[in-house]
Each structure stands twice: as structure tokens, then as C-alpha cells.
């Protein structure tokens, strides 16, 4: 048998034309050249563009937030504001288009968002990062993560938490979604509390996972902790007493302040109505107003002690000077000034105890407008208190050159000027101390406070004894406190409505201090537009003052300075105002 060799095959014996071989070689060379040119183009001319596109899609600068400092009460044991971890839910729109309608519906249900809102955020597929919702609790974020929705990712955030809720809302304020203070202490001390955030430059994959660090990590510097002058216990007591008084008299609003006489520290500051700073939907409307420091009003009779003290200080009156207030109606400068009742002849102590407007008018005749304006200015009226609190009001005290005699008279008993409750409480420290007014602070004071001498110590002592009588059985007896001697003055001022004094809307106030033997606290209370019949400060605000003083002194461990039996109220035609 003849063997056939493979190269004897007729197919293999066919000779290919040389031009075809050359054509194939040329095509291969052109293809290789095109690849080389494209590579050179991409690596050379388009390098910056491609890097930018890569960075835009996968490189991220992660902000490493600094932990905002905590805010404590004066004891350092009660946390008033702290930072808790939360998460932000974000998405890559291009990846999220693979999510099913059922998955988006589940996401919307968990986030309490309409599905159309989520779809609207995912509509622009050119974006590589969009927030779906921020400040989501860790527990809820874990439930969302379990859904495994394509393109939906999470990142760590922080949120401010206020354990005491509305009780301390107007003191602390709140932060925005970026954790920056925008109200209250959070705003005033934002720089100290914030610290300095760090940063981390990383590359992420399409699933949002960190692949590698591009630059060295810059660590954050946490914010400082703050220790306020506020006492959480006293704040609670003041809040409870004020809320009870406001509800009892159906008042439109109310405020209360407790000051430490020795140090000038603000121990409690309460406003009603209030809001819960933990709920963003509550942060709106009139509830945000810190009425104790931003709202001003005509003080009314609580201004009378300052005028009497000025007359004593200048030697224009003495404790034995008498004034005939007549039958309760006095025509002066074309106007009629009236008292609540007929008081007849009164000395200056009687004028304060009976809260006589006529008596104050007669005292004002012995003073000049400049003398009164100068003293009121020294007391802080007409100028903002020296505190770091935002929004403090300066009130209104017109230049003395423009005062007419009738205006000098009305200012003597608290009309024609305006002040905040903080200003009034601050001014009353001159009677609780030796005629000097102590500086205020919202932070726990470390050193000795400064003060300004306003009245002679002996004159301050005389007014102190008169104010004790004004808060006694023959005065605003509802201000008394079992076991403690208290001193103070009520005020009832008509509100101005449409440019005229209303006959149905009042501001009822009481300001005083205790214990008289060695004053420790000044307490100021005001209720706006009480309803239900009673509106005199001695009836409406005095009981709130009494409750706050009683609870505060007991919490502070202040020893009683009066026999309990001596404070039992007896029937008296005492001061109503």
C-alpha cells in the first residue's frame, strides 16, 4: 500500500498570493498602531480628564466630625445636651435605578417619605451622591441596610440630644442639621463646643466601600464641655411652679428667673410656652421666644422701690417723711392718678406696702428727670445686660430731656419705660446685696464676681426691710414662704393695645428675694394676660414666686430664718397689685 504524506494534500499545495499575506500584515500593524496611539492619547492628552472623572466617581473626602462638647448643669452630674450617633441615607442614582418598586416602597415606609419624593431625588443619574434622608436613627438605618437596595448607602453622622426636652429649651437652644448652634447656649458658645472636624481622602468602589486611603488621615479635635450656672433641680422646680400658675390663670405666656445673689449666676430660666428641641417640627412660632430676656414690658409697681431708694439716697425723703394720698384720686398735670384704695397719710414704707401711685407721684416731684434717668441707667434699664446670651433686649428708657412732669411721675411707678424680666431681676440684686449690683453669668462662675455700687448700703438695707413688709401679711401675703422671711414687690401693668392702654389685658409680675436675714436668691416671675378674673401681681404671680422660693431654698439647703407659726396668713386688706 502506498502511504500518503500530509504535505502531499492538494489543499496544502495551494500557493497563497504574496499580496494577501502583506495585506494581513499591514492590517495587523495598523491595528497595533491604533492601540498604541489610543493608549498614548489616553495616558497623555486625556490623563487629567480621566483622572478627574475617576475621582468624581470613586474618590471621596470623608469628613470626620468632631464630637460636639457636652453641656452640663452646675453640678457637673446632669447632662443637658450631648451628641448621639445617627446615620445619613444616601444614594448613587445610576445604581439605584436597579431597585424595584417594592424596595423603594419599603424604603419610603421606613423613612416616612412618599415614594415619589425618593424617586425625585434619584431622577438625575448624572449625580454620584444624593441624600435621601439625614439624621436617621441607627436602629432604623440597620433595618434599611437589611433591605439591600441597590445604590442605597449610609454614612455616619451625629445629632444633638437634649434629655430635659422643653424644660431647658430656651436656655440651651439647638443646633441645625450640620450640628452648628443656631439658638441659645448652643449658638453663644458654638465655637467652643464645635471643636475642629478631621478629614479622610479615600477611594470608594461602586458599592460605596472604602478601597484605599489617598492621603493621610487628619484626626478631629473634639469640642469643649460646658458647665452652666443652671441647676437642673431648681430649673425643674421653677418650670413646674410656673406651668401650674400659667394653667391656673389661663395666661397667654409666662417666664421666671432665679439668680444667685452671691455670685450673679443664673440658677434657673424658664419660659412658657416652650418646645422640644429634639423635634425639628417643634422649632417654630412663638414657642421659640426666650421671653425672659427678649420680651420687654412696662414693669409697673415693681419699679417703685428703685425710685424710693433714689429719693433716700439723695436725701429728698427720710423714713419719717409723710405724704397725704387723700381718697385715692389725685389730679396731677391735667391727668388723674389713682390708687387701688384710699390710703390717706403714708410714709415711704407705707407707700411701698400699699403700692400707692399717688405717693410715688409726690415723691417724683422731689426728684429731677436727670436724677431718675441716671439712676435707672445705672440699674441697667435702657441698655442690654452684659451677658453672652443672644438676643438680650435693652428695653426702652427715653432721654431725660424729653420727660414731661407727668411722664416723670408715671416712670416713678413703672409706666413709660420697658424692661425685660432679666433686667428687673438683675436690678433687684441691689436690695438683696448691700446696694451693689452683681454681674450676671450663664456659666458656673469660677472666681469672685464683679459688682457696681448703685445705692448706699444703709439705703439698700432700709428698702430691704420695706420690701419685707410689702410681702408680708399687710402686703402681697401670697408671696410668703413657710419658715423663711421673704421680701419683694408685685406689679400689675396694663398692656398697650392699638396704641392705648387696655382695660382687659395685663402683665402680672412679682420680684423678690429670700431669706431676708441673708439673701441667697432673687426670683422674678411674670404672667402675660392672665384670665379668669384675677390679674393683680399679688394674686397671680406672688404664689408662683412663693413656690419657687420654697423649693429652691430647700434644695440649696438654706436654713430657715423665721418661725413657721409666724408665717400663717391672717385676714388682711393687704396689697392687691
Amino acid at each position: 500500500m502506498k502511504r500518503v504524506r500530509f504535505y502531499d494534500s492538494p489543499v496544502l499545495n495551494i500557493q497563497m498570493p504574496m499580496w494577501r499575506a502583506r495585506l494581513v500584515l499591514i492590517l495587523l500593524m495598523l491595528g497595533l498602531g491604533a492601540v498604541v496611539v489610543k493608549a498614548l492619547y489616553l495616558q497623555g492628552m486625556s490623563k487629567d480628564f480621566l483622572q478627574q472623572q475617576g475621582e468624581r466617581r470613586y474618590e471621596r473626602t470623608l469628613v470626620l466630625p468632631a464630637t460636639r462638647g457636652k453641656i452640663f448643669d452646675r453640678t457637673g452630674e446632669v447632662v443637658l445636651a450631648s451628641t448621639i450617633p445617627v446615620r445619613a441615607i444616601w444614594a448613587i442614582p445610576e445604581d439605584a435605578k436597579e431597585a424595584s418598586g417594592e424596595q423603594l416602597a419599603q424604603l419610603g415606609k421606613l423613612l416616612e417619605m412618599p415614594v415619589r419624593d425618593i424617586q425625585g431625588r434619584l431622577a438625575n443619574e448624572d449625580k454620584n451622591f444624593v441624600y435621601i434622608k439625614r439624621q436617621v436613627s441607627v436602629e432604623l438605618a440597620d433595618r434599611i441596610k437589611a433591605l439591600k437596595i441597590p445604590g442605597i448607602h449610609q454614612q455616619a453622622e451625629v445629632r444633638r440630644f437634649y434629655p430635659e426636652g422643653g424644660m431647658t429649651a430656651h436656655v440651651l437652644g439647638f443646633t441645625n442639621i450640620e450640628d452648628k448652634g443656631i439658638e441659645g447656649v448652643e449658638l453663644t458658645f458654638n465655637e467652643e463646643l464645635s471643636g475642629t472636624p478631621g478629614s479622610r481622602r479615600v477611594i470608594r468602589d461602586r458599592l460605596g466601600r472604602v478601597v484605599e486611603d489617598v492621603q493621610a488621615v487628619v484626626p478631629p479635635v473634639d469640642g469643649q464641655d460646658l458647665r452652666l450656672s443652671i441647676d437642673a433641680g431648681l430649673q425643674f422646680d421653677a418650670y413646674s411652679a410656673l406651668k401650674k400658675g400659667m394653667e391656673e390663670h389661663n395666661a397667654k405666656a409666662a417666664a421666671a428667673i432665679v439668680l444667685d445673689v452671691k455670685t450673679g449666676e443664673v440658677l434657673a430660666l424658664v419660659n412658657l410656652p416652650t418646645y422640644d428641641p429634639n423635634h425639628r417640627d417643634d422649632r417654630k412660632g412663638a414657642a421659640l421666644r426666650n421671653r425672659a430676656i427678649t420680651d420687654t414690658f412696662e414693669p409697673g409697681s415693681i419699679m417703685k422701690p428703685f425710685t424710693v431708694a433714689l429719693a433716700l439716697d439723695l436725701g429728698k425723703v427720710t423714713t419719717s417723711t409723710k405724704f397725704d394720698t387723700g381718697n385715692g384720686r389725685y389730679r396731677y398735670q391735667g391727668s388723674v392718678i389713682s390708687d387701688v384704695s384710699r390710703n390717706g397719710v403714708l410714709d415711704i414704707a407705707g407707700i411701698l406696702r400699699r403700692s400707692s401711685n399717688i405717693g410715688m407721684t409726690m415723691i417724683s416731684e422731689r426728684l429731677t428727670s436727670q436724677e431718675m434717668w441716671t439712676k435707672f441707667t445705672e440699674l441697667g434699664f435702657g441698655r442690654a445686660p452684659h451677658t453672652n446670651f443672644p438676643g438680650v433686649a435693652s428695653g426702652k428708657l427715653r432721654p431725660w430731656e424729653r420727660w414731661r412732669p407727668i411722664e416723670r411721675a408715671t416712670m416713678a411707678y413703672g409706666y413709660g419705660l420697658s424692661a425685660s424680666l432679666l433686667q428687673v431681676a438683675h436690678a433687684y440684686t441691689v436690695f438683696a446685696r448691700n446696694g451693689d449690683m452683681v454681674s450676671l453669668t450663664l456659666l458656673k462662675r469660677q472666681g469672685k464676681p464683679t459688682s457696681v455700687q448703685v445705692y448706699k448700703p444703709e439705703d439698700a438695707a432700709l428698702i430691704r426691710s420695706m420690701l419685707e413688709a410689702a410681702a408680708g401679711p399687710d402686703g402681697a401675703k401670697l408671696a410668703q414662704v413657710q419658715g423663711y422671711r421673704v421680701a419683694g414687690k408685685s406689679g400689675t401693668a396694663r398692656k398697650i393695645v392699638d396704641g392705648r392702654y387696655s382695660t382687659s389685658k395685663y402683665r402680672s409680675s412679682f420680684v423678690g428675694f429670700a431669706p431676708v436675714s441673708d439673701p441667697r436668691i432673687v426670683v422674678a416671675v411674670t404672667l402675660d394676660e392672665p384670665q379668669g378674673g384675677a390679674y393683680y401681681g399679688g394674686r397671680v404671680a406672688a404664689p408662683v414666686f412663693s413656690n419657687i422660693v420654697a423649693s429652691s431654698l430647700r434644695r440649696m439647703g438654706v436654713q430657715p430664718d423665721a418661725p413657721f407659726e409666724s408665717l400663717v396668713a391672717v385676714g388682711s386688706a393687704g396689697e392687691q397689685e
Side-chain angles (χ1 to χ4, degrees), residues 246 249-254 493 495-497 502 504-508 526-532 534-535 540:
M246 181 177 170
H249 296 284
N250 194 25
K252 176 183 176 181
K495 295 186 66 175
I496 297 177
V497 179
S502 171
S504 60
K505 295 184 178 181
Y506 297 87
R507 168 83 69 157
S508 307
T526 186
L527 284 85
D528 188 15
E529 295 186 22
Q531 305 295 321
Y535 57 86
V540 175

PDB file of all heavy atoms in Angstrom, residues 246 249-254 493 495-497 502 504-508 526-532 534-535 540:
ATOM      1  N   MET A 246     -49.480  79.224  85.316  1.00  0.00           N
ATOM      2  CA  MET A 246     -49.965  79.617  83.995  1.00  0.00           C
ATOM      3  C   MET A 246     -51.275  78.916  83.662  1.00  0.00           C
ATOM      4  O   MET A 246     -52.218  79.525  83.136  1.00  0.00           O
ATOM      5  CB  MET A 246     -48.899  79.299  82.949  1.00  0.00           C
ATOM      6  CG  MET A 246     -49.278  79.683  81.523  1.00  0.00           C
ATOM      7  SD  MET A 246     -47.911  79.358  80.391  1.00  0.00           S
ATOM      8  CE  MET A 246     -48.732  79.591  78.803  1.00  0.00           C
ATOM      9  N   HIS A 249     -54.318  80.229  85.838  1.00  0.00           N
ATOM     10  CA  HIS A 249     -54.854  81.536  85.459  1.00  0.00           C
ATOM     11  C   HIS A 249     -55.032  81.681  83.955  1.00  0.00           C
ATOM     12  O   HIS A 249     -55.312  82.794  83.478  1.00  0.00           O
ATOM     13  CB  HIS A 249     -53.945  82.640  86.005  1.00  0.00           C
ATOM     14  CG  HIS A 249     -53.888  82.681  87.500  1.00  0.00           C
ATOM     15  ND1 HIS A 249     -54.903  83.200  88.268  1.00  0.00           N
ATOM     16  CD2 HIS A 249     -52.939  82.229  88.367  1.00  0.00           C
ATOM     17  CE1 HIS A 249     -54.575  83.093  89.552  1.00  0.00           C
ATOM     18  NE2 HIS A 249     -53.401  82.509  89.635  1.00  0.00           N
ATOM     19  N   ASN A 250     -54.838  80.586  83.240  1.00  0.00           N
ATOM     20  CA  ASN A 250     -55.060  80.580  81.794  1.00  0.00           C
ATOM     21  C   ASN A 250     -54.319  81.733  81.116  1.00  0.00           C
ATOM     22  O   ASN A 250     -54.880  82.458  80.289  1.00  0.00           O
ATOM     23  CB  ASN A 250     -56.557  80.658  81.486  1.00  0.00           C
ATOM     24  CG  ASN A 250     -56.875  80.316  80.036  1.00  0.00           C
ATOM     25  OD1 ASN A 250     -56.122  79.600  79.379  1.00  0.00           O
ATOM     26  ND2 ASN A 250     -57.966  80.856  79.524  1.00  0.00           N
ATOM     27  N   ALA A 251     -53.054  81.911  81.481  1.00  0.00           N
ATOM     28  CA  ALA A 251     -52.259  83.009  80.939  1.00  0.00           C
ATOM     29  C   ALA A 251     -51.770  82.678  79.535  1.00  0.00           C
ATOM     30  O   ALA A 251     -51.626  81.518  79.151  1.00  0.00           O
ATOM     31  CB  ALA A 251     -51.068  83.298  81.846  1.00  0.00           C
ATOM     32  N   LYS A 252     -51.516  83.732  78.774  1.00  0.00           N
ATOM     33  CA  LYS A 252     -51.034  83.581  77.403  1.00  0.00           C
ATOM     34  C   LYS A 252     -49.600  83.061  77.391  1.00  0.00           C
ATOM     35  O   LYS A 252     -49.215  82.258  76.534  1.00  0.00           O
ATOM     36  CB  LYS A 252     -51.122  84.927  76.693  1.00  0.00           C
ATOM     37  CG  LYS A 252     -50.575  84.939  75.282  1.00  0.00           C
ATOM     38  CD  LYS A 252     -50.654  86.344  74.691  1.00  0.00           C
ATOM     39  CE  LYS A 252     -50.030  86.417  73.307  1.00  0.00           C
ATOM     40  NZ  LYS A 252     -50.089  87.803  72.766  1.00  0.00           N
ATOM     41  N   ALA A 253     -48.779  83.547  78.308  1.00  0.00           N
ATOM     42  CA  ALA A 253     -47.376  83.152  78.381  1.00  0.00           C
ATOM     43  C   ALA A 253     -46.871  83.469  79.786  1.00  0.00           C
ATOM     44  O   ALA A 253     -47.538  84.166  80.562  1.00  0.00           O
ATOM     45  CB  ALA A 253     -46.538  83.883  77.335  1.00  0.00           C
ATOM     46  N   ALA A 254     -45.683  82.959  80.107  1.00  0.00           N
ATOM     47  CA  ALA A 254     -45.119  83.200  81.433  1.00  0.00           C
ATOM     48  C   ALA A 254     -43.613  82.993  81.389  1.00  0.00           C
ATOM     49  O   ALA A 254     -43.085  82.321  80.495  1.00  0.00           O
ATOM     50  CB  ALA A 254     -45.756  82.271  82.471  1.00  0.00           C
ATOM     51  N   ALA A 493     -49.303  95.720  85.346  1.00  0.00           N
ATOM     52  CA  ALA A 493     -49.243  96.767  84.319  1.00  0.00           C
ATOM     53  C   ALA A 493     -50.236  96.480  83.208  1.00  0.00           C
ATOM     54  O   ALA A 493     -50.345  95.344  82.730  1.00  0.00           O
ATOM     55  CB  ALA A 493     -47.831  96.862  83.749  1.00  0.00           C
ATOM     56  N   LYS A 495     -51.453  96.450  79.487  1.00  0.00           N
ATOM     57  CA  LYS A 495     -50.766  96.315  78.212  1.00  0.00           C
ATOM     58  C   LYS A 495     -51.292  97.345  77.219  1.00  0.00           C
ATOM     59  O   LYS A 495     -52.465  97.747  77.277  1.00  0.00           O
ATOM     60  CB  LYS A 495     -50.959  94.902  77.659  1.00  0.00           C
ATOM     61  CG  LYS A 495     -50.326  93.816  78.514  1.00  0.00           C
ATOM     62  CD  LYS A 495     -50.425  92.461  77.857  1.00  0.00           C
ATOM     63  CE  LYS A 495     -49.613  92.402  76.582  1.00  0.00           C
ATOM     64  NZ  LYS A 495     -49.592  91.053  75.990  1.00  0.00           N
ATOM     65  N   ILE A 496     -50.430  97.754  76.321  1.00  0.00           N
ATOM     66  CA  ILE A 496     -50.822  98.690  75.274  1.00  0.00           C
ATOM     67  C   ILE A 496     -51.356  97.904  74.087  1.00  0.00           C
ATOM     68  O   ILE A 496     -50.669  97.026  73.546  1.00  0.00           O
ATOM     69  CB  ILE A 496     -49.639  99.573  74.849  1.00  0.00           C
ATOM     70  CG1 ILE A 496     -49.179 100.438  76.030  1.00  0.00           C
ATOM     71  CG2 ILE A 496     -50.016 100.441  73.665  1.00  0.00           C
ATOM     72  CD1 ILE A 496     -47.969 101.285  75.725  1.00  0.00           C
ATOM     73  N   VAL A 497     -52.572  98.187  73.701  1.00  0.00           N
ATOM     74  CA  VAL A 497     -53.211  97.536  72.551  1.00  0.00           C
ATOM     75  C   VAL A 497     -53.697  98.621  71.604  1.00  0.00           C
ATOM     76  O   VAL A 497     -54.466  99.508  72.002  1.00  0.00           O
ATOM     77  CB  VAL A 497     -54.392  96.649  73.000  1.00  0.00           C
ATOM     78  CG1 VAL A 497     -55.053  96.005  71.791  1.00  0.00           C
ATOM     79  CG2 VAL A 497     -53.913  95.588  73.978  1.00  0.00           C
ATOM     80  N   SER A 502     -54.963  98.956  77.551  1.00  0.00           N
ATOM     81  CA  SER A 502     -56.131  98.090  77.575  1.00  0.00           C
ATOM     82  C   SER A 502     -56.743  98.048  78.977  1.00  0.00           C
ATOM     83  O   SER A 502     -56.051  98.214  79.985  1.00  0.00           O
ATOM     84  CB  SER A 502     -55.727  96.674  77.147  1.00  0.00           C
ATOM     85  OG  SER A 502     -56.780  95.754  77.340  1.00  0.00           O
ATOM     86  N   SER A 504     -58.452  95.291  79.773  1.00  0.00           N
ATOM     87  CA  SER A 504     -58.702  93.868  79.999  1.00  0.00           C
ATOM     88  C   SER A 504     -57.462  92.993  79.858  1.00  0.00           C
ATOM     89  O   SER A 504     -57.513  91.805  80.180  1.00  0.00           O
ATOM     90  CB  SER A 504     -59.770  93.364  79.016  1.00  0.00           C
ATOM     91  OG  SER A 504     -59.338  93.544  77.673  1.00  0.00           O
ATOM     92  N   LYS A 505     -56.349  93.564  79.400  1.00  0.00           N
ATOM     93  CA  LYS A 505     -55.128  92.783  79.225  1.00  0.00           C
ATOM     94  C   LYS A 505     -54.025  93.344  80.127  1.00  0.00           C
ATOM     95  O   LYS A 505     -53.720  94.535  80.062  1.00  0.00           O
ATOM     96  CB  LYS A 505     -54.678  92.798  77.759  1.00  0.00           C
ATOM     97  CG  LYS A 505     -55.675  92.108  76.826  1.00  0.00           C
ATOM     98  CD  LYS A 505     -55.158  92.064  75.396  1.00  0.00           C
ATOM     99  CE  LYS A 505     -56.142  91.320  74.502  1.00  0.00           C
ATOM    100  NZ  LYS A 505     -55.660  91.231  73.103  1.00  0.00           N
ATOM    101  N   TYR A 506     -53.459  92.459  80.957  1.00  0.00           N
ATOM    102  CA  TYR A 506     -52.487  92.885  81.954  1.00  0.00           C
ATOM    103  C   TYR A 506     -51.247  92.009  81.922  1.00  0.00           C
ATOM    104  O   TYR A 506     -51.264  90.877  81.433  1.00  0.00           O
ATOM    105  CB  TYR A 506     -53.100  92.808  83.358  1.00  0.00           C
ATOM    106  CG  TYR A 506     -54.280  93.722  83.582  1.00  0.00           C
ATOM    107  CD1 TYR A 506     -55.574  93.306  83.258  1.00  0.00           C
ATOM    108  CD2 TYR A 506     -54.115  94.999  84.117  1.00  0.00           C
ATOM    109  CE1 TYR A 506     -56.665  94.136  83.462  1.00  0.00           C
ATOM    110  CE2 TYR A 506     -55.204  95.834  84.325  1.00  0.00           C
ATOM    111  CZ  TYR A 506     -56.473  95.403  83.990  1.00  0.00           C
ATOM    112  OH  TYR A 506     -57.551  96.225  84.197  1.00  0.00           O
ATOM    113  N   ARG A 507     -50.182  92.563  82.466  1.00  0.00           N
ATOM    114  CA  ARG A 507     -48.957  91.820  82.731  1.00  0.00           C
ATOM    115  C   ARG A 507     -48.797  91.781  84.249  1.00  0.00           C
ATOM    116  O   ARG A 507     -48.652  92.813  84.898  1.00  0.00           O
ATOM    117  CB  ARG A 507     -47.754  92.502  82.074  1.00  0.00           C
ATOM    118  CG  ARG A 507     -46.410  91.985  82.511  1.00  0.00           C
ATOM    119  CD  ARG A 507     -45.993  90.741  81.778  1.00  0.00           C
ATOM    120  NE  ARG A 507     -45.695  91.024  80.375  1.00  0.00           N
ATOM    121  CZ  ARG A 507     -44.905  90.253  79.623  1.00  0.00           C
ATOM    122  NH1 ARG A 507     -44.355  89.175  80.143  1.00  0.00           N
ATOM    123  NH2 ARG A 507     -44.710  90.551  78.356  1.00  0.00           N
ATOM    124  N   SER A 508     -48.834  90.590  84.835  1.00  0.00           N
ATOM    125  CA  SER A 508     -48.777  90.429  86.289  1.00  0.00           C
ATOM    126  C   SER A 508     -47.406  89.885  86.689  1.00  0.00           C
ATOM    127  O   SER A 508     -46.976  88.855  86.167  1.00  0.00           O
ATOM    128  CB  SER A 508     -49.871  89.468  86.759  1.00  0.00           C
ATOM    129  OG  SER A 508     -51.134  89.890  86.279  1.00  0.00           O
ATOM    130  N   THR A 526     -43.266  86.527  85.899  1.00  0.00           N
ATOM    131  CA  THR A 526     -44.241  87.335  85.167  1.00  0.00           C
ATOM    132  C   THR A 526     -45.178  86.433  84.394  1.00  0.00           C
ATOM    133  O   THR A 526     -44.765  85.410  83.839  1.00  0.00           O
ATOM    134  CB  THR A 526     -43.553  88.332  84.206  1.00  0.00           C
ATOM    135  OG1 THR A 526     -44.535  89.178  83.616  1.00  0.00           O
ATOM    136  CG2 THR A 526     -42.785  87.627  83.115  1.00  0.00           C
ATOM    137  N   LEU A 527     -46.480  86.798  84.383  1.00  0.00           N
ATOM    138  CA  LEU A 527     -47.501  86.092  83.611  1.00  0.00           C
ATOM    139  C   LEU A 527     -48.175  87.095  82.685  1.00  0.00           C
ATOM    140  O   LEU A 527     -48.604  88.167  83.125  1.00  0.00           O
ATOM    141  CB  LEU A 527     -48.538  85.430  84.519  1.00  0.00           C
ATOM    142  CG  LEU A 527     -48.084  84.138  85.224  1.00  0.00           C
ATOM    143  CD1 LEU A 527     -47.343  84.475  86.508  1.00  0.00           C
ATOM    144  CD2 LEU A 527     -49.266  83.229  85.531  1.00  0.00           C
ATOM    145  N   ASP A 528     -48.255  86.728  81.429  1.00  0.00           N
ATOM    146  CA  ASP A 528     -48.801  87.614  80.411  1.00  0.00           C
ATOM    147  C   ASP A 528     -50.273  87.295  80.155  1.00  0.00           C
ATOM    148  O   ASP A 528     -50.629  86.164  79.820  1.00  0.00           O
ATOM    149  CB  ASP A 528     -47.993  87.449  79.123  1.00  0.00           C
ATOM    150  CG  ASP A 528     -48.359  88.480  78.065  1.00  0.00           C
ATOM    151  OD1 ASP A 528     -49.007  89.479  78.414  1.00  0.00           O
ATOM    152  OD2 ASP A 528     -47.988  88.273  76.897  1.00  0.00           O
ATOM    153  N   GLU A 529     -51.105  88.296  80.335  1.00  0.00           N
ATOM    154  CA  GLU A 529     -52.542  88.211  80.078  1.00  0.00           C
ATOM    155  C   GLU A 529     -53.235  87.069  80.825  1.00  0.00           C
ATOM    156  O   GLU A 529     -53.827  86.164  80.215  1.00  0.00           O
ATOM    157  CB  GLU A 529     -52.813  88.080  78.574  1.00  0.00           C
ATOM    158  CG  GLU A 529     -52.386  89.300  77.772  1.00  0.00           C
ATOM    159  CD  GLU A 529     -52.792  89.210  76.301  1.00  0.00           C
ATOM    160  OE1 GLU A 529     -53.734  88.450  75.999  1.00  0.00           O
ATOM    161  OE2 GLU A 529     -52.148  89.894  75.473  1.00  0.00           O
ATOM    162  N   PRO A 530     -53.158  87.071  82.160  1.00  0.00           N
ATOM    163  CA  PRO A 530     -53.919  86.068  82.922  1.00  0.00           C
ATOM    164  C   PRO A 530     -55.417  86.287  82.727  1.00  0.00           C
ATOM    165  O   PRO A 530     -55.879  87.415  82.604  1.00  0.00           O
ATOM    166  CB  PRO A 530     -53.490  86.329  84.365  1.00  0.00           C
ATOM    167  CG  PRO A 530     -53.056  87.759  84.381  1.00  0.00           C
ATOM    168  CD  PRO A 530     -52.446  88.015  83.035  1.00  0.00           C
ATOM    169  N   GLN A 531     -56.166  85.184  82.720  1.00  0.00           N
ATOM    170  CA  GLN A 531     -57.616  85.242  82.524  1.00  0.00           C
ATOM    171  C   GLN A 531     -58.319  84.664  83.759  1.00  0.00           C
ATOM    172  O   GLN A 531     -57.701  84.096  84.631  1.00  0.00           O
ATOM    173  CB  GLN A 531     -58.013  84.436  81.283  1.00  0.00           C
ATOM    174  CG  GLN A 531     -57.284  84.836  80.012  1.00  0.00           C
ATOM    175  CD  GLN A 531     -57.601  86.245  79.556  1.00  0.00           C
ATOM    176  OE1 GLN A 531     -58.751  86.683  79.650  1.00  0.00           O
ATOM    177  NE2 GLN A 531     -56.597  86.969  79.077  1.00  0.00           N
ATOM    178  N   GLY A 532     -59.625  84.809  83.795  1.00  0.00           N
ATOM    179  CA  GLY A 532     -60.389  84.182  84.860  1.00  0.00           C
ATOM    180  C   GLY A 532     -60.681  85.073  86.040  1.00  0.00           C
ATOM    181  O   GLY A 532     -60.988  84.584  87.126  1.00  0.00           O
ATOM    182  N   ALA A 534     -58.801  87.082  88.218  1.00  0.00           N
ATOM    183  CA  ALA A 534     -57.642  87.612  88.945  1.00  0.00           C
ATOM    184  C   ALA A 534     -56.558  88.041  87.971  1.00  0.00           C
ATOM    185  O   ALA A 534     -56.241  87.320  87.019  1.00  0.00           O
ATOM    186  CB  ALA A 534     -57.101  86.564  89.904  1.00  0.00           C
ATOM    187  N   TYR A 535     -56.012  89.223  88.191  1.00  0.00           N
ATOM    188  CA  TYR A 535     -54.909  89.676  87.345  1.00  0.00           C
ATOM    189  C   TYR A 535     -53.871  90.473  88.116  1.00  0.00           C
ATOM    190  O   TYR A 535     -52.814  90.805  87.577  1.00  0.00           O
ATOM    191  CB  TYR A 535     -55.421  90.513  86.165  1.00  0.00           C
ATOM    192  CG  TYR A 535     -56.234  91.729  86.563  1.00  0.00           C
ATOM    193  CD1 TYR A 535     -55.603  92.933  86.866  1.00  0.00           C
ATOM    194  CD2 TYR A 535     -57.621  91.683  86.621  1.00  0.00           C
ATOM    195  CE1 TYR A 535     -56.333  94.057  87.216  1.00  0.00           C
ATOM    196  CE2 TYR A 535     -58.366  92.797  86.966  1.00  0.00           C
ATOM    197  CZ  TYR A 535     -57.723  93.986  87.269  1.00  0.00           C
ATOM    198  OH  TYR A 535     -58.450  95.093  87.616  1.00  0.00           O
ATOM    199  N   VAL A 540     -51.707  86.699  91.313  1.00  0.00           N
ATOM    200  CA  VAL A 540     -51.372  85.785  90.226  1.00  0.00           C
ATOM    201  C   VAL A 540     -49.910  85.333  90.272  1.00  0.00           C
ATOM    202  O   VAL A 540     -49.606  84.130  90.223  1.00  0.00           O
ATOM    203  CB  VAL A 540     -51.663  86.446  88.866  1.00  0.00           C
ATOM    204  CG1 VAL A 540     -51.195  85.560  87.715  1.00  0.00           C
ATOM    205  CG2 VAL A 540     -53.156  86.739  88.738  1.00  0.00           C
TER     206      VAL A 540
END
